Amino acid sequence: MALYSEKVMDHFRNPRNVGVIEDADGVGEVGNPVCGDIMKIYLKIDNETISDVKFETFGCGSAIASSSMATELIKGKPLSEALKLTNKAVTEALDGLPAHKLHCSVLAEEAIKAAVKDYYDKNGIAYDPKDFPDCDHCESCGV
Ligand code: FES
């Protein structure tokens, strides 16, 4: 069996939603201190719905495929739904990732959460801190 699914290869070769939104309403940047990869997500938000999303990822192929798939999964969705997106859902949508690459999908989940939090912070919108767990304490981050 190939190490990477066709979907992973497709999103790696033709990533969707690459780029920058200059007047983004929320920006989230996260990095994995172990592998050094960095992911940045830009959100445009209208009526609590993600009307546009772009990403820049400086990282491995799995991180690029995860960012691409994650942006596709949240585009046009309400913020509340985007906040529920897990790295597991991203991985499943990609038809799986090798075990040692699962942490790459964690970056996508975290970057989206960071961007939504940035939007809430900038607009003085109250939120439940439980929706934004402290990354340092997240077990799934280990490489
Ligand atoms: Fe670092 Fe994939 S190896 S995110």
Side-chain angles (χ1 to χ4, degrees), residues 53-105:
V53 49
K54 294 253 186 280
F55 79 89
E56 292 178 300
T57 291
F58 305 92
C60 71
S62 300
I64 291 167
S66 295
S67 330
S68 171
M69 181 54 89
T71 55
E72 287 284 274
L73 291 172
I74 64 166
K75 204 171 186 175
K77 298 275 165 59
L79 284 180
S80 54
E81 222 171 289
L83 275 180
K84 285 193 204 122
L85 183 77
T86 60
N87 81 299
K88 194 162 173 276
V90 174
T91 308
E92 279 170 11
L94 287 169
D95 289 339
L97 282 169
H100 70 287
K101 286 284 166 186
L102 284 177
H103 73 273
C104 314
S105 62

Side-chain angles (χ1 to χ4, degrees), residues 28-73:
E29 182 172 334
V30 294
N32 183 311
V34 181
C35 65
D37 292 353
I38 296 170
M39 194 180 290
K40 200 164 178 180
I41 296 265
Y42 301 83
L43 299 177
K44 197 79 198 136
I45 294 162
D46 290 299
N47 290 327
E48 300 298 298
T49 296
I50 296 171
S51 53
D52 199 10
V53 49
K54 294 253 186 280
F55 79 89
E56 292 178 300
T57 291
F58 305 92
C60 71
S62 300
I64 291 167
S66 295
S67 330
S68 171
M69 181 54 89
T71 55
E72 287 284 274
L73 291 172

